[in-house]
Amino acid sequence: MSILVQQLTKKYGEQTAVNQLSFAIQQGEIVGFLGPNGAGKSTTMKMITGFLIPDEGNIEVDGVNVLENPTLAKSKIGYLPESNPLYYDMYVREYLTFIAEVHQVKEIKQRVEEVIEMVGLTPESKKTIGQLSKGYKQRVGLGAALIHDPAVLILDEPTTGLDPNQIIEIREVIKQLGRTKTVLFSSHILQEVEAICDRVVIINKGNLVANDRLSHLRSEAGNRQVLKVSFKEALEAAWLERLPAVTTVNKLSTHEWEVTSTVLAEAQKQIMHLAIENNLNIVQLQAGELSLEDIFRQLTGSKPV
């Protein structure tokens, strides 16, 4: 296993941030790590990378026990934290060279140039980090995580604050890296997780609530399908909740609703009857499969943050 987490627990006073958490990630997997705000994602990542010591449990990275041999374990990890701390007065090459020296990388100059090209920093490589846009600062952080060619990448919200073009570019970099490395990737942008990840691990209030491929999670959700329905008129949730074929109702606005059902055709028919009987005008009625956001909401009772 490239990452092995066993019965991990971390408490802050009376609050349990992570509770008996266990999961494993194989080499070459890109795994999405999801949970609502305060679920324990960043705490777990900090424990895996050795920045926090767990109260209980065991962690192994690329076969090395993080608690017993933290220095060797850290040498196998590339970590991009959500805060992405950088030295803004340093030039891009200067900073990456410094990080390479810390990791005792051989042939530093060559490796720095390889990483600059890999993460798309070439156009901005002669600037100081402080002169860079948010997107290029993220690339510098990713480059620093990659400079020592680690077996495992821990990426905490790597696309935060990026524009759509930058997100696509970073996504492609991560997908390329996932061919040879193990990647644990946290994001609140669920479309990114669906586009990048092979599997998802979802936690809620420090507890594991899902660890599976998206296709299996959709199946376990009862083969429910989603109907998005828009009315010209404003409605209350109770109007849709009382329909026998409707399983769950999610309010997008007073005019727009998202419902799930295991009998889609029947749910559509009942919504049409509801509109006819109450003189309601349907603007849109569109069917689709459960998205990762739908599954996330069902498992955690909240929207991703």
Side-chain angles (χ1 to χ4, degrees), residues 20-199:
Q20 298 290 301
L21 182 63
S22 298
F23 62 86
I25 304 176
Q26 301 278 0
Q27 182 180 1
E29 273 194 302
I30 303 178
V31 173
F33 193 39
L34 308 177
N37 191 30
K41 302 187 300 298
S42 292
T43 298
T44 300
M45 288 181 158
K46 289 176 182 177
M47 288 190 286
I48 293 172
T49 55
F51 285 87
L52 282 178
I53 305 300
D55 296 321
E56 299 175 19
N58 183 60
I59 310 163
E60 291 184 11
V61 173
D62 200 28
V64 179
N65 190 296
V66 174
L67 302 179
E68 295 175 359
N69 199 339
T71 301
L72 179 58
K74 288 177 182 179
S75 72
K76 295 176 175 290
I77 298 170
Y79 179 38
L80 177 61
E82 184 177 5
S83 58
N84 189 16
L86 299 168
Y87 294 114
Y88 282 12
D89 291 336
M90 297 181 76
Y91 289 88
V92 171
R93 281 188 174 83
E94 180 186 13
Y95 175 73
L96 293 177
T97 298
F98 166 67
I99 299 298
E101 289 172 346
V102 170
H103 285 288
Q104 300 180 338
V105 173
K106 297 179 180 179
E107 300 181 356
I108 290 177
K109 186 175 181 180
Q110 178 182 337
R111 181 57 183 166
V112 167
E113 295 306 317
E114 289 174 353
V115 168
I116 284 174
E117 183 177 354
M118 186 186 304
V119 299
L121 274 169
T122 303
E124 306 292 305
S125 60
K126 295 182 179 180
K127 294 182 178 180
T128 64
I129 295 173
Q131 293 175 308
L132 302 179
S133 68
K134 169 70 173 178
Y136 278 107
K137 286 187 177 79
Q138 285 293 86
R139 291 170 192 252
V140 174
L142 184 57
L146 290 168
I147 197 72
H148 58 298
D149 195 23
V152 173
L153 282 174
I154 308 291
L155 308 177
D156 194 356
E157 305 285 357
T159 58
T160 297
L162 305 188
D163 66 37
N165 289 331
Q166 292 169 336
I167 288 174
I168 291 171
E169 290 167 359
I170 294 297
R171 177 201 300 173
E172 291 305 312
V173 171
I174 295 170
K175 288 171 71 174
Q176 290 289 333
L177 294 169
R179 295 179 180 178
T180 56
K181 301 183 184 301
T182 302
V183 181
L184 183 62
F185 171 79
S186 172
S187 178
H188 66 281
I189 306 173
L190 297 188
Q191 295 90 335
E192 289 305 300
V193 176
E194 287 187 285
I196 295 174
C197 299
D198 305 310
R199 180 163 56 94

Side-chain angles (χ1 to χ4, degrees), residues 21 34-36 200-212 217 220 295-296 298-300:
L21 182 63
L34 308 177
V200 292
V201 171
I202 304 177
I203 63 174
N204 187 37
K205 298 179 181 178
N207 296 290
L208 182 72
V209 295
N211 179 10
D212 213 336
L217 288 175
E220 289 175 2
I295 294 169
F296 183 97
Q298 289 183 18
L299 292 171
T300 66

